[in-house]
Amino acid sequence: MKQLYLMRHAKSEWDDPDLDDHDRPLSPRGERAAPLMAGHLKSRSIQPGLILCSTARRTRETLGFLTPALDGVPVQFERQVYTFNPDSLFDRLRLLDDSLKAVMVVGHNPALQDLTLMLTEGQTVTAARTALEDKFPTAAYAELDLDIGSWRDLATGCGRLAHFTRPRDLA
């Protein structure tokens, strides 16, 4: 059994149309939501063995708010996680070391939503899954329990959505 924690970056700023997407910072709304979600992660006592974080500014800033709740967890900033394609994340996860029982990804949509839906395909419909099917909003967090012994075995339908929280759920 493996666990996958997926965190979408908090709301980003769109005021400067000339700014490259990779360089967009968090908006004031994002700066309020990220610490709220950090408190939620702390209350759930999650402890990943590794955090894979996109190299985009907004994901790095989101992670900065999460770090106190995830004290001491090693972080790898990877350009491959700066993707909107779930297949890229899927391929990256299959390369993880099997000594890792739980991993967190701080990334982007639609990759996170599509990956979650792919990994939990065939799961019994729950209120959490229905909410996730509708939208994986900024600063939202999902926990997946994966019925695999090796990350190489990651496959469509191998997971169960154990938890899904949006910032508005905590307000």
Side-chain angles (χ1 to χ4, degrees), residues 122-151:
Q123 175 183 332
T124 303
V125 177
T126 62
R129 183 166 167 89
T130 300
L132 186 133
E133 286 173 355
D134 181 51
K135 188 174 184 180
F136 199 124
T138 53
Y141 166 75
E143 278 181 33
L144 283 74
D145 292 332
L146 306 172
D147 189 19
I148 56 174
S150 170
W151 290 102

Side-chain angles (χ1 to χ4, degrees), residues 87-133:
D87 295 332
S88 181
L89 288 178
F90 182 85
D91 292 344
R92 174 60 185 98
L93 292 170
R94 291 190 80 210
L95 298 174
L96 289 168
D97 187 291
D98 285 332
S99 67
L100 294 166
K101 303 284 186 229
V103 172
M104 173 177 265
V105 175
V106 182
H108 308 270
N109 239 15
L112 293 178
Q113 181 178 25
D114 292 345
L115 178 68
T116 304
L117 293 174
M118 178 184 5
L119 293 175
T120 61
E121 185 176 297
Q123 175 183 332
T124 303
V125 177
T126 62
R129 183 166 167 89
T130 300
L132 186 133
E133 286 173 355

Side-chain angles (χ1 to χ4, degrees), residues 25-132:
L26 292 182
S27 69
R29 183 174 127 198
E31 290 176 346
R32 289 187 303 274
L36 186 66
M37 293 306 291
H40 179 67
L41 296 182
K42 186 171 186 159
S43 74
R44 294 196 58 76
S45 301
I46 70 157
Q47 205 53 45
L50 176 67
I51 299 170
L52 297 176
C53 184
S54 160
T55 55
R57 180 176 174 185
R58 61 193 178 272
T59 53
R60 290 181 287 121
E61 288 181 357
T62 299
L63 181 61
F65 285 101
L66 304 179
T67 300
L70 303 168
D71 189 36
V73 177
V75 177
Q76 287 179 213
F77 296 97
E78 296 186 6
R79 186 70 181 205
Q80 187 176 359
V81 180
Y82 175 65
T83 185
F84 308 102
N85 180 337
D87 295 332
S88 181
L89 288 178
F90 182 85
D91 292 344
R92 174 60 185 98
L93 292 170
R94 291 190 80 210
L95 298 174
L96 289 168
D97 187 291
D98 285 332
S99 67
L100 294 166
K101 303 284 186 229
V103 172
M104 173 177 265
V105 175
V106 182
H108 308 270
N109 239 15
L112 293 178
Q113 181 178 25
D114 292 345
L115 178 68
T116 304
L117 293 174
M118 178 184 5
L119 293 175
T120 61
E121 185 176 297
Q123 175 183 332
T124 303
V125 177
T126 62
R129 183 166 167 89
T130 300
L132 186 133

